[in-house]
Amino acid sequence: MTSPAIAHIIDGKQIASDIRSEVKQGVDARILLGKRPPGLRVVLVGENPASQSYVRGKKRASEEVGIIAETLLHPEDMPEADLLNLIEQLNNDPDVDGILVQLPLPDHIDEDKVILAIDPDKDVDGFHPVSVGRLVLGQAGFEPCTPAGIVELLKRSGVETSGAHAVIVGRSNIVGKPMATLLLRRGLDCTVTVCHSRTKDLPSITRQADILIAAIGRANFITASMVKEGAAVIDVGINRIDDATRERGYRLVGDVDFKDVSEKVGWITPVPGGVGPMTIAMLLQNTLHAANRRDT
Ligand code: NDP
């Protein structure tokens, strides 16, 4: 892999904006053909401020590309059975192409049961066990938005993946594991290593990475001594650290010590403005795909 002479800062905002424009073109093309715009329903149970803000962002972004998005707000004490009924209604609604249940759900609701209730053909988050199975088997289905967004960042930044050693730190169901599956896929062809909190001598492994993906949830955890010169470093982490100079009293940093690491590597994503904007862009893309697939 030939890396740039100076670290190339991967502009997730720009790449996400390009993808949103492509989705808009896809939506416009549907309308020209006399088809209805894609429909997305976002279900939010409770009043978690972070979830409220994510849901607002998803609705706004959907509307900008012509997707009809509705947010269904329900109180914290919504019974599980009512949520399951609501999902059943959305599964049967012909105007709904994508269903997204914002996580986390309140403690009295079984998340697994709720995800299982979503029609896999409307599972635009890609969390349903059928979607996970399709991903592993390489069949058409929905890819989880964050890892799918990372693949786009790599491709559109010219990072060579074929034969590259990709090291992923983190083995969660929403990032680490699907990331490993995607990078292993024919066409991307990475050799993949997945690390976690019990991995022995983590730096000796991360230093071998041509592509290093940090999905840990620990501020500035990956330091310059843990990366190989010229590597592509993708920082998934979103961590709040206290910052009295900011009005809100904190700032967001990634899992990678950006300043030091960026002096050594070939490519790096910033936080914010790297992986974050891609997650919503891929949700829009999945929703358009859902609508197009349901037509055929
Ligand atoms: P999880 O907490 O589910 O997983 C964290 C992973 O990191 C676990 O596998 C854990 O290992 C591993 N880990 C923790 N400490 C260490 C350590 N010291 N050494 C090696 N591995 C370690 O987190 P998520 O995957 O959900 O998210 C990770 C980060 O990405 C978070 O900051 C989250 O906010 C962010 N995120 C960002 C998104 C975006 O759109 N940009 C989307 C999703 C997440 P073990 O399994 O052994 O416990």
Side-chain angles (χ1 to χ4, degrees), residues 146 170-172 174-175 196-197 215-218 221 236-238 276 279:
T146 301
R171 56 175 164 178
S172 71
I174 59 164
V175 190
H196 46 81
S197 67
I216 311 162
R218 288 177 165 232
F221 183 86
V236 188
I238 304 175
T279 302

Side-chain angles (χ1 to χ4, degrees), residues 60-270:
R60 197 181 322 119
S62 299
E63 284 166 351
E64 278 168 17
V65 299
I67 291 174
I68 307 292
E70 265 178 45
T71 308
L72 307 171
L73 299 173
H74 291 274
E76 183 85 22
D77 60 358
M78 180 186 205
E80 183 184 270
D82 290 3
L83 179 56
L84 294 172
N85 279 336
L86 171 64
I87 290 172
E88 188 58 26
Q89 282 171 31
L90 297 175
N91 285 343
N92 294 324
D93 185 336
D95 289 338
V96 175
D97 300 294
I99 303 169
L100 185 154
V101 178
Q102 186 66 43
L103 302 178
L105 287 167
D107 289 345
H108 67 280
I109 299 180
D110 181 343
E111 264 177 26
D112 290 343
K113 215 167 162 181
V114 170
I115 291 170
L116 198 60
I118 297 172
D119 177 346
D121 292 333
K122 297 188 176 187
D123 174 38
V124 285
D125 245 347
F127 294 162
H128 190 288
V130 168
S131 301
V132 178
R134 287 174 175 161
L135 187 75
V136 172
L137 295 171
Q139 297 173 356
F142 298 107
E143 297 171 359
C145 301
T146 301
I150 292 171
V151 168
E152 287 301 321
L153 289 179
L154 293 170
K155 281 188 181 166
R156 293 178 191 231
S157 306
V159 175
E160 175 68 84
T161 56
S162 181
H165 185 187
V167 174
I168 301 159
V169 190
R171 56 175 164 178
S172 71
N173 289 338
I174 59 164
V175 190
K177 280 193 238 169
M179 189 76 253
T181 306
L182 281 174
L183 291 174
L184 200 56
R185 178 177 277 184
R186 214 169 277 282
L188 289 168
D189 300 312
C190 290
T191 300
V192 179
T193 303
V194 182
C195 303
H196 46 81
S197 67
R198 307 304 293 261
T199 297
K200 287 184 183 151
D201 195 5
L202 181 68
S204 73
I205 301 171
T206 54
R207 273 197 295 269
Q208 294 172 36
D210 301 309
I211 299 171
L212 177 63
I213 296 174
I216 311 162
R218 288 177 165 232
N220 302 321
F221 183 86
I222 302 287
T223 56
S225 65
M226 294 171 77
V227 298
K228 176 156 100 178
E229 220 160 289
V233 177
I234 306 293
D235 191 351
V236 188
I238 304 175
N239 310 288
R240 279 183 181 197
I241 58 169
D242 293 341
D243 185 344
T245 68
R246 303 285 170 105
E247 199 179 312
R248 55 189 180 182
Y250 68 88
R251 68 192 153 95
L252 297 179
V253 298
D255 290 344
V256 176
D257 183 351
F258 183 86
K259 193 172 165 295
D260 281 358
V261 172
S262 61
E263 285 173 12
K264 190 169 174 189
V265 298
W267 293 262
I268 189 164
T269 59

Side-chain angles (χ1 to χ4, degrees), residues 7 21-23 25 33 44-45 47 79 89 114 116 140-141 146 164 213 245:
S21 300
E22 291 160 19
V23 173
Q25 284 167 23
L33 290 169
L44 175 60
V45 183
E47 290 176 5
Q89 282 171 31
V114 170
L116 198 60
T146 301
I213 296 174
T245 68

